[in-house]
Every structure is written in C-alpha cells, then in structure tokens.
Amino acid sequence: MPTYTDADAVRLYVDPETVPLLPSDDGDLGELILKAEGDVDRVLSPRIEPDATSGRKLDPDGLTLAQQEALSRATAAAVEWRILVGEDSLAAADDGLEAAGSVRFSPPPRPPAPAMVEELAGFGFAWRSGLALSTEDVEEEAEAEP
C-alpha cells in the first residue's frame, strides 16, 4: 500500500495528456506509486534509515503539512516520469540486493525525475549528496572510531 501519496492525488497531479496513460485500475496504479516512492527514497540521504513497517525513509505523519504535500507531489511527478520515460528506459534497475554479509548496499543512483526533485526542493528534506563527505561527516566518523 502506498505511503507517500494515493491514486487520486496522482491523477490530479499529472498532465491531462498523461492521465490516459496511467493504469485505470487503482491496484495497478498503486504498484506504480510504490516504485515511484522508491525513486523518491533514492534521492534522500542514505543516512535516513527506512521505517521497519513501511520500508520508506519518511513517515508523512511526522512531517509538516507543507512537507506532506511536497512529498505527495514529488511521488506523483515520479509516477508521471516513469509513465513517460518507460520502465525499460530507466537506468540501473534495482536488483533487490540490500546486503551481502556485513556490507550494506545503497540503491544504485539513477537519474531522478526532474519534476520530482523540483517538488522536494526547499522543504527541508535531507538529500543524497553524491560521493563526497561533508567536513561535518568526516568529523563525526573520526569521533566514532575507537
């Protein structure tokens, strides 16, 4: 069951010309929304641990109303991107491998939906910042080492 948005919000968000391309069945659209939620989680900081129940990095109940709305719009934008670009065209499909032994893998980066990023911008969400650690991160890791 989707966490960040619902089928009605997606249908209201997407361009009217895209609506006919959406699955007409709410269950099928729900599956697409779940994939889009994964896209949203991928652009968020890898330091945010997924919720044990929902599997998502964010709990909408713990966000402000403005953040909840931004998260819903961003997820709808990711759904629209998936429909327009096509599942087969999206790079670096998730192989489902989360860990091997004691090594935990982050999902591979893939180009995010531009509108998704725009919808999240300015609402205080922690972002994935690429490969470089900030000075603060380096200091925290140095303090944590025995």
Side-chain angles (χ1 to χ4, degrees):
M1 186 164 116
T3 303
Y4 295 164
T5 195
D6 59 33
D8 292 335
V10 169
R11 289 187 181 103
L12 287 172
Y13 177 87
V14 300
D15 186 275
E17 293 180 10
T18 307
V19 172
L21 302 175
L22 294 172
S24 58
D25 178 66
D26 281 355
D28 292 340
L29 183 53
E31 290 299 316
L32 191 56
I33 292 170
L34 289 173
K35 291 178 183 179
E37 288 179 354
D39 295 340
V40 171
D41 282 351
R42 274 185 199 86
V43 301
L44 297 173
S45 172
R47 290 181 175 240
I48 301 173
E49 289 294 323
D51 178 73
T53 305
S54 70
R56 294 290 164 224
K57 288 188 175 182
L58 298 174
D59 177 5
D61 293 336
L63 303 174
T64 67
L65 181 58
Q67 288 175 321
Q68 289 174 8
E69 291 171 351
L71 185 60
S72 176
R73 290 190 310 270
T75 306
V79 168
E80 185 172 35
W81 177 253
R82 284 181 162 276
I83 289 291
L84 294 175
V85 172
E87 295 285 324
D88 295 336
S89 298
L90 293 172
D94 187 2
D95 62 7
L97 184 63
E98 293 183 15
S102 63
V103 177
R104 180 175 160 85
F105 300 104
S106 292
R110 70 170 71 157
M116 176 185 72
V117 173
E118 290 172 9
E119 294 292 358
L120 290 173
F123 288 95
F125 295 107
W127 296 94
R128 177 182 293 273
S129 62
L131 301 176
L133 292 175
S134 70
T135 305
E136 189 176 273
D137 291 337
V138 171
E139 291 169 359
E140 285 178 14
E141 285 184 9
E143 290 173 5
E145 291 180 8

